[in-house]
Amino acid sequence: MRRFDFLQISYMNPVNLNSADQANLGLARAHHWDAFHQAMRPRLGATAKFTREEPLAVKTTIRLGGSARLYAEPGSEEDMRLLLNAAAAAGIAVLPLGRGSNLIVPDAGVEALVISMAHENWAKFEARPDGAVWVGAGLRLKNLCGLAAKAGLTGFEFLEGIPGNVGGALRMNAGAMGGWMFDVVEAVQLITASGESRTLERAAMHVDYRHCAELHDAIALGALLRPSAHADTEAVGRQIDVYKKKRQESQPREPSAGCIFKNPPGNSAGRLIDQSGLKGERVGDAEVSPIHANFMVNRGAATSADLIELVRRVRARVRVAQGVELEPEVLLYGQQWKDVL
Ligand SMILES: Cc1cc2nc3c(=O)[nH]c(=O)nc-3n(C[C@H](O)[C@H](O)[C@H](O)COP(=O)(O)OP(=O)(O)OC[C@H]3O[C@@H](n4cnc5c(N)ncnc54)[C@H](O)[C@@H]3O)c2cc1C
């Protein structure tokens, strides 16, 4: 695992095992996850969710993939710290989860503890007297836009229509309509893999296109944002509607994970895919959207294997037809694309 892989369970390579050994290995693994779950459940706050084999497809926008061996929705920083410390001690990898709008979950699921920011305690929006706004990492970008408009604050409208939350947008430095998440960030509060809470000023962070280095091995808990100005609520609302309409006209409605590939410098991945004649290309129920060539949609029963095969095919065709190597923007949860492409 690439992200948040401060420690991992190292398994024997099952390739050389006979079927009885494989079954035993499966039981040993299940026992390991069960033991962690049983030990931690009583230590977490009453409102925290903590489960085994939680299906992840429904927690992603593209709606495919398997389960998390362990899944938590901690309700406090203390819960978060307990989980991180215990996972590190047990050699269990941790994967943060936002709204799953930039993820492909493998069909076999993830051998990790997934920590989601879905608990309501992470969805705060507080306008500060000095004009800044404090937002929790679990706040949906849609709600951030709506609450800012209501408070008469402008500067966040470009985030309208990005179906993630604040934490995912920080990790991805999400961007649209000429703006980037880190354009409006003053500071980020995060918790490290060892459970240490820190606040980093924007100037101390390393961010670029769809990337924030400091959040590779840490979980964002919240951020201090700076609106560009005060404005009339209706005027902010009108700008949000303009962006909403633009998206509705240019993006497919079917389940997707947004843009599959990064735009190569000075070029558009969607245009390159379209010019290679790939709109409508299909593997199983995974399809290159006929509306926007850089979106792959789930036509109903797509698997992650279908989607990965489609990514392979599109890359190969664009390489041959256009001489450009496209790099995925969506993340393969708990794995690296280079290992499957
Ligand atoms: C229809 C559609 C349109 C989209 N349009 C855009 C767009 O215009 N611009 C754009 O940039 N993206 C777009 N996306 C992609 C996606 O919405 C963004 O990347 C978004 O920021 C991801 O947020 P999320 O909460 O869903 O994160 P997730 O997909 O849940 O996670 C993404 C990554 O962030 C990590 N992560 C999540 N939460 C945290 C946290 N609290 N701390 C640290 N790491 C964390 C995860 O481990 C993972 O590595 C679109 C997606 C869809 C489906």
Side-chain angles (χ1 to χ4, degrees):
M1 285 182 193
R2 181 169 56 91
R3 273 156 287 118
F4 228 98
D5 53 357
F6 44 93
L7 271 175
Q8 278 191 60
I9 299 172
S10 53
Y11 292 130
M12 283 182 277
N13 177 359
V15 171
N16 298 323
L17 300 181
N18 63 33
S19 57
D21 285 344
Q22 285 196 19
N24 284 336
L25 182 58
L27 283 175
R29 288 174 177 174
H31 177 71
H32 180 82
W33 300 114
D34 285 342
F36 187 90
H37 183 249
Q38 278 161 24
M40 291 308 294
R41 176 63 272 186
R43 298 179 63 196
L44 300 176
T47 63
K49 178 172 176 175
F50 188 42
T51 57
R52 280 271 287 121
E53 294 305 324
E54 180 78 16
L56 292 177
V58 290
K59 300 186 191 304
T60 67
T61 51
I62 194 165
R63 309 227 148 216
L64 52 78
S67 305
R69 299 295 87 87
L70 290 162
Y71 173 85
E73 290 176 8
S76 65
E77 214 177 304
E78 187 47 30
D79 279 352
M80 186 83 83
R81 191 167 294 111
L82 277 171
L83 285 165
L84 289 171
N85 287 341
I92 288 175
V94 173
L95 295 171
L97 179 68
R99 296 195 59 87
S101 63
N102 203 51
L103 297 177
I104 304 301
V105 177
D107 293 324
V110 290
E111 303 287 318
L113 163 62
V114 168
I115 297 189
S116 158
M117 307 301 287
H119 196 287
E120 61 181 1
N121 289 353
W122 304 108
K124 294 201 169 78
F125 175 99
E126 288 168 11
R128 299 269 166 96
D130 68 351
V133 178
W134 171 260
V135 288
L139 182 68
R140 292 176 66 175
L141 297 175
K142 186 178 181 45
N143 294 345
L144 165 57
C145 289
L147 290 165
K150 212 166 150 192
L153 300 172
T154 185
F156 307 127
E157 299 86 309
F158 68 98
L159 294 168
E160 169 64 33
I162 303 180
N165 66 21
V166 166
L170 291 166
R171 163 65 182 79
M172 298 308 299
N173 191 16
M177 315 292 166
W180 277 3
M181 184 65 186
F182 272 86
D183 291 345
V184 296
V185 168
E186 286 207 338
V188 175
Q189 191 201 350
L190 52 80
I191 188 162
T192 65
S194 54
E196 199 187 321
S197 186
R198 276 191 206 148
T199 299
L200 296 182
E201 299 297 320
R202 161 70 181 90
M205 301 187 76
H206 300 83
V207 296
D208 54 35
Y209 181 50
R210 304 293 178 262
H211 184 247
C212 169
E214 283 70 21
L215 292 178
H216 261 241
D217 295 319
I219 299 181
L221 300 180
L224 193 63
L225 308 181
R226 177 66 59 182
S228 51
H230 278 270
D232 170 55
T233 295
E234 279 182 18
V236 182
R238 275 196 299 278
Q239 187 58 56
I240 287 177
D241 288 343
V242 170
Y243 290 151
K244 208 182 270 177
K245 190 156 179 279
K246 246 185 177 172
R247 278 184 190 270
Q248 280 165 355
E249 287 166 359
S250 62
Q251 293 182 358
R253 299 278 168 92
E254 295 88 353
S256 78
C259 287
I260 287 283
F261 297 103
K262 292 180 184 169
N263 285 323
N267 216 327
S268 149
R271 191 167 50 238
L272 291 166
I273 298 167
D274 192 4
Q275 286 169 353
S276 308
L278 285 159
K279 271 187 172 171
E281 184 77 12
R282 202 161 165 162
V283 176
D285 263 359
E287 184 188 69
V288 176
S289 165
I291 293 171
H292 188 316
N294 200 16
F295 276 58
M296 288 183 182
V297 296
N298 180 354
R299 285 272 175 202
T303 61
S304 82
D306 294 337
L307 194 115
I308 290 166
E309 181 51 33
L310 191 56
V311 167
R312 259 191 223 118
R313 197 179 287 179
V314 168
R315 279 184 102 216
R317 288 266 285 277
V318 170
R319 190 186 309 122
V320 170
Q322 318 285 340
V324 176
E325 189 78 278
L326 292 177
E327 293 305 330
E329 172 176 325
V330 294
L331 302 170
L332 190 57
Y333 208 35
Q335 292 186 18
Q336 293 200 51
W337 280 108
K338 72 175 175 49
D339 295 333
V340 300
L341 292 182

